[in-house]
Amino acid sequence: GLKCEKDINECASQPCQNFATCHDGVNGYVCQCFHGYKGVNCEKEMLNETTTDRILKIVDRVDAASNGPTFIRWGRTSCPSTSRLVYHGLAAGDHYGNYGSGSNPLCLTKQPVYGRYANNKWGGILYGAQYQIQGQSQPYTNSFTNRPVPCAVCETKRKRATFMLPATNQCPSTWVREYHGYLMSSKYNNQYISQYLCFDDSLEAVQGISGHSRGSDFFVVGVQCGYGLPCGPYIQARELTCVVCSK
């Protein structure tokens, strides 16, 4: 980035071989090799394997093909190299001026399948979601105002748990970073109250869809310190980062 504010994902090129898992770091990466393999990219097969090594190698390969927990990557149409794409779609929620319907934003499929219907508009209603991000300001330097929000549902590889950690872009030790970015939600004085979601550091917008008619809005979340949050580590109005981790 212009001010070196963006962390490059060294795992994006998928350098690890032989089903190994890539762990992204700062200016580098580490490959977690299966049993029976070694090397920086797990490219070398170990010689003189024992029977136990061969059994563990088979178990690892079976484990690599198994399903893991899923997470939603908000603001992108693809998944990190550490996970598989289930589908990508459109973010949606209630209108920013409404009081009712659901408070949880959804990642809708681009190809809906309907059951019985009466075209009743007086129950719960879903609207497309748009960014409300002004250009030339941190943390996103490009303007995304009123542009539709994409989303991707991702399945982790060889993992058993995922969680979103707010106020940092680094995962705890032994956890793998799936993606990182910034917290977003509905505006603080909107009638509609949304969940806090982690949006990707490198945003995309849905192409070919007009987002000028506002529906469900997403704003970057800042800190209000002094109201239960200490004004030392937390800085007034500072935009909060976030990270999605797996293990």
Side-chain angles (χ1 to χ4, degrees), residues 206-219:
V206 178
Q207 302 299 318
I209 300 178
S210 173
H212 292 297
S213 298
R214 288 177 60 186
S216 184
D217 289 342
F218 282 103
F219 295 79

Side-chain angles (χ1 to χ4, degrees), residues 71-80 83-91 107-108 110 131 148-154 179 199-200 202-209:
F71 63 91
I72 299 177
R73 191 182 191 186
W74 298 101
R76 293 296 296 270
T77 58
S78 61
C79 293
S83 60
R84 307 178 182 92
L85 179 68
V86 179
Y87 73 92
H88 66 87
L90 310 170
C107 186
L108 299 183
K110 289 187 174 181
Y131 301 112
V149 178
C151 52
V153 175
C154 306
Y179 77 93
F199 277 74
D200 198 87
S202 300
L203 290 182
E204 298 174 343
V206 178
Q207 302 299 318
I209 300 178

Side-chain angles (χ1 to χ4, degrees), residues 154-167:
C154 306
E155 179 186 62
T156 56
K157 303 175 184 178
R158 302 175 63 205
K159 306 294 173 51
R160 294 177 175 83
T162 62
F163 76 102
M164 189 271 280
L165 178 60

Side-chain angles (χ1 to χ4, degrees), residues 39-242:
V40 175
N41 295 324
C42 304
E43 73 280 6
K44 298 178 181 179
E45 190 167 4
M46 296 173 61
L47 302 177
N48 302 322
E49 288 182 317
T50 65
T51 301
T52 301
D53 287 332
R54 288 194 291 271
I55 293 174
L56 289 174
K57 184 188 293 185
I58 294 172
V59 171
D60 275 343
R61 291 190 175 188
V62 171
D63 190 31
S66 63
N67 298 330
T70 60
F71 63 91
I72 299 177
R73 191 182 191 186
W74 298 101
R76 293 296 296 270
T77 58
S78 61
C79 293
S81 60
T82 50
S83 60
R84 307 178 182 92
L85 179 68
V86 179
Y87 73 92
H88 66 87
L90 310 170
D94 195 13
H95 191 277
Y96 71 94
N98 287 350
Y99 288 104
S101 290
S103 62
N104 56 315
L106 302 176
C107 186
L108 299 183
T109 175
K110 289 187 174 181
Q111 298 177 329
V113 177
Y114 298 99
R116 293 186 293 272
Y117 57 88
N119 291 331
N120 180 8
K121 195 180 178 180
W122 305 114
I125 303 176
L126 272 177
Y127 295 81
Q130 296 87 33
Y131 301 112
Q132 297 300 327
I133 302 173
Q134 301 296 328
Q136 305 304 315
S137 63
Q138 297 294 345
Y140 297 105
T141 56
N142 294 326
S143 177
F144 284 90
T145 301
N146 290 331
R147 299 187 67 184
V149 178
C151 52
V153 175
C154 306
E155 179 186 62
T156 56
K157 303 175 184 178
R158 302 175 63 205
K159 306 294 173 51
R160 294 177 175 83
T162 62
F163 76 102
M164 189 271 280
L165 178 60
T168 181
N169 54 23
Q170 299 295 325
C171 292
S173 61
T174 75
W175 288 79
V176 175
R177 185 171 72 175
E178 295 290 342
Y179 77 93
H180 67 97
Y182 292 89
L183 279 180
M184 291 196 196
S185 70
S186 59
K187 195 173 183 180
Y188 72 96
N189 57 355
N190 277 5
Q191 295 175 5
Y192 164 65
I193 300 176
S194 75
Q195 295 178 335
Y196 293 102
L197 302 179
C198 187
F199 277 74
D200 198 87
D201 182 62
S202 300
L203 290 182
E204 298 174 343
V206 178
Q207 302 299 318
I209 300 178
S210 173
H212 292 297
S213 298
R214 288 177 60 186
S216 184
D217 289 342
F218 282 103
F219 295 79
V220 178
V221 173
V223 169
Q224 179 67 56
C225 70
Y227 291 80
L229 291 178
C231 296
Y234 288 95
I235 301 173
Q236 179 65 22
R238 181 68 55 87
E239 293 86 350
L240 284 172
T241 56
C242 58

